[in-house]
Amino acid sequence: MKLAKQRGDFTARLRRGVCKSAWKVSGSLALMAMGAGASAATITIASVNNPDMIELKKLSPAFEKANPDIKLNWVVLEENVLRQRVTTDITTNGGQFDAVMLTSYEAPLWGRRGWLVPLDDMPAAYDLNDVFKTVRDTLSDGGHLYALPFYVESTMTYYRKDLFAENGLTMPDQPTYQQIAAFADKLNDPAKGLYGVCLRGKAGWGENMAYLSTVANTFGGRWYDENWRAQLTSPQWKKAVSYYVDLLRKDGPPGASSNGFNENLTLMASGRCAMWVDATVAASFLSNTTQSRVAGKIGYALAPIADTPKGSHWLGGWALAVPSSSKSHEAAQKFVAWATSKQYIELVAKDEGWASVPPGTRKSTYERADYRQAAPFASIVLKSIETADPNDATAQKVPYSGIQYVSIPEFQSIGAVVGQSIAGALAGQMSVDQALQAGNTAADRAVRQAGLQK
C-alpha cells in the first residue's frame, strides 16, 4: 500500500487558494520578454552552489536585459544550508524567496500542502511536452505541476581510462561493487596523491544518504518494511554500509566524511580520483577542458550493482519552483520558465559548448546531433534516467516510493540524523553497528510520531 492510501488526511488536497498563472503568451520571444509593461519587481532566487547553477547566475543578465522591469537577487548556498533555509522559509510562509531550487522530493509534498504555485498553464512557446514525461511526473502531485526541471540526473560510474589502460584493467558496462573494490585496491596510490575511489561522505539526507540509499537498495536493503518498521539494522544495510566504510577508509581520500558532491567533483576534476560514483550531471563538467584537468581521460559506465539491480541508481536533480508566499508570482514564473527553456539551453551551448548544457530535461536536447557528438556520456545518462523507477526500487516490498529517499515529509530529519551517524562511523567515531542502531531508533521514532507505524 502506497503512502497516499496510508495517510489519507495528509494526501488530501490542502491547497489554499494559490493563485493560478495568468501569463499565457505566444510568439517565439515569449519566454525571453514576457510582460515588459508590468510594474518593476526584484525577485530573490535561492540556488545551490553547483556548477550548472553558477552558470545560470552568470547568464542571468540576458534575462534582465529582456525583462528590464525585473531585477534578480541571488542567494547561492551550499546544498545542506540551502535545503535548511528554503524548507524553513516555505514551511513558515516566510516569503523570503520568490524562486527556489528544490528536488523531486520536495516538489510534490510541498505542492500538495499548497506551499508552491501550480505551473500547469505554461505558454505554448515553453513546449512543456518536450520535457520528459517521467520528469514532469516526479515534480507533480494530483495532476498539478509544481516545479520545472533545471537539470535531471541519475547516477553513473566515472573512471580514468588512462589509468585503467596502464594497469590492464577493463571497466564493464555495469560493474559490480565487488569489482569497484578490486579496481580501487589496484589503483590507490596515496603517495602520488591518487585515491582509488571517491564517494560522498558528508552528512546530509541529500548528500551521503542520497548515495548510500542506492547502495543499500542494490545490496537488497530497504528503509522500512511493509508495516513501517525501520530496517537499518538488517543484514542488508549492515553489509552495504560496512562495504562503503571499509572501501573509503582503505582506498578513499583522507577526510572522506567531509566530502560531498562538490568536494568530490573537485577531486575528480583535478586528477586525484581513479573512480567516482555519483550524479550524472557531473559528466559535462569533467569533460570541459577549461574546468577539468582530466577532460578526455574520463570513461563512463552505469552505476554499480550488488545483489540486485533495483534501486542502484537514482532519479533526481534540481528544479525551480515559485513559493506561494512570494509577493512576485508573475515575475518569478517568468524567470523559472526562462531558466528551464530551450532558449536557455541554447545560451549555455553558445557560452560553454553543447556538452555543458543542463542534461536530462528535454527530448529536443537528446535529438540534437550537436549534443550527441559533444556528449559521449549522453546515452548512458539517458538510459540511467529512463530505467530509474521510484515505485520499484527495492528487492522487498515497501510502503513508500522513492529511490534515494523515502517520500514522506519526515524523511528530511530522518535522513539528516542517519547521515550524521554514518558519517561518524566513516570518521571512526563509532562502529557501523552503533551508527545503524542509532539511525534505526531515530527512523522508527519519526514514523511512529507521524502515525504511520501501528
Side-chain angles (χ1 to χ4, degrees), residues 124-437:
Y126 185 80
D127 194 4
L128 187 59
N129 287 330
D130 185 49
V131 177
F132 289 111
K133 184 179 184 301
T134 53
V135 173
R136 285 182 274 140
D137 289 345
T138 65
L139 300 172
S140 301
D141 182 75
H144 296 281
L145 180 66
Y146 287 106
L148 299 176
F150 180 65
Y151 69 64
V152 177
E153 63 186 20
S154 186
T155 48
M156 71 192 312
T157 304
Y158 301 96
Y159 66 97
R160 286 279 299 278
K161 294 186 295 184
D162 55 331
L163 297 177
F164 268 65
E166 290 169 11
N167 288 274
L169 303 175
T170 301
M171 175 67 77
D173 292 338
Q174 183 166 47
T176 65
Y177 269 111
Q178 289 71 27
Q179 289 173 318
I180 292 294
F183 294 150
D185 281 344
K186 179 74 173 179
L187 298 173
N188 192 48
D189 194 350
K192 294 183 179 179
L194 176 67
Y195 305 102
V197 66
C198 291
L199 301 170
R200 295 190 191 193
K202 179 187 289 186
W205 72 270
E207 281 281 10
N208 63 343
M209 294 317 300
Y211 170 68
L212 267 171
S213 291
T214 68
V215 180
N217 291 339
T218 194
F219 272 86
R222 53 183 173 170
W223 275 89
Y224 293 96
D225 67 14
E226 292 178 274
N227 296 312
W228 286 102
R229 299 288 193 268
Q231 298 295 297
L232 301 184
T233 55
S234 66
Q236 295 88 350
W237 267 90
K238 289 183 179 180
K239 184 178 178 182
V241 177
S242 295
Y243 167 90
Y244 159 85
V245 168
D246 291 344
L247 178 62
L248 277 179
R249 283 183 178 175
K250 185 178 181 182
D251 296 320
S257 61
S258 298
N259 294 339
F261 171 79
N262 279 327
E263 291 81 7
N264 283 323
L265 176 60
T266 299
L267 286 169
M268 190 75 191
S270 62
R272 301 186 66 188
C273 302
M275 294 181 294
W276 181 33
V277 182
D278 212 299
T280 55
V281 72
S284 60
F285 184 92
L286 293 174
S287 67
N288 190 319
T289 56
T290 66
Q291 299 172 321
S292 172
R293 292 176 56 187
V294 293
K297 299 179 181 179
I298 299 294
Y300 313 96
L302 295 169
I305 58 174
D307 298 326
T308 174
K310 287 190 174 185
S312 60
H313 56 285
W314 71 51
L315 180 62
W318 289 93
L320 280 158
V322 179
S324 301
S325 55
S326 166
K327 303 300 189 294
S328 302
H329 288 185
E330 185 176 350
Q333 288 175 183
K334 290 177 185 177
F335 172 75
V336 167
W338 173 82
T340 59
S341 67
K342 293 179 183 179
Q343 290 91 331
Y344 177 74
I345 289 174
E346 295 281 350
L347 281 179
V348 178
K350 184 177 180 180
D351 187 61
E352 288 286 343
W354 272 102
S356 296
V357 304
T361 61
R362 289 183 171 273
K363 303 171 191 175
S364 55
T365 300
Y366 289 83
E367 291 168 354
R368 290 198 62 137
D370 293 339
Y371 182 67
R372 294 197 305 271
Q373 182 176 356
F377 46 81
S379 61
I380 291 179
V381 173
L382 192 58
K383 181 177 180 179
S384 298
I385 290 172
E386 289 179 334
T387 56
D389 187 353
N391 294 312
D392 187 21
T394 55
Q396 302 175 76
K397 292 183 178 180
V398 295
Y400 59 86
S401 63
I403 302 174
Q404 71 274 29
Y405 54 76
V406 177
S407 57
I408 57 175
E410 294 77 14
F411 186 74
Q412 289 195 55
S413 59
I414 295 169
V417 171
V418 177
Q420 287 285 356
S421 294
I422 293 178
L426 180 58
Q429 299 168 356
M430 64 181 77
S431 69
V432 168
D433 282 349
Q434 290 172 326
L436 291 176
Q437 183 59 63

Side-chain angles (χ1 to χ4, degrees), residues 26-45:
S26 59
S28 61
L29 298 179
L31 296 172
M32 299 290 288
M34 292 186 285
S39 58
T42 296
I43 62 172
T44 298
I45 304 154

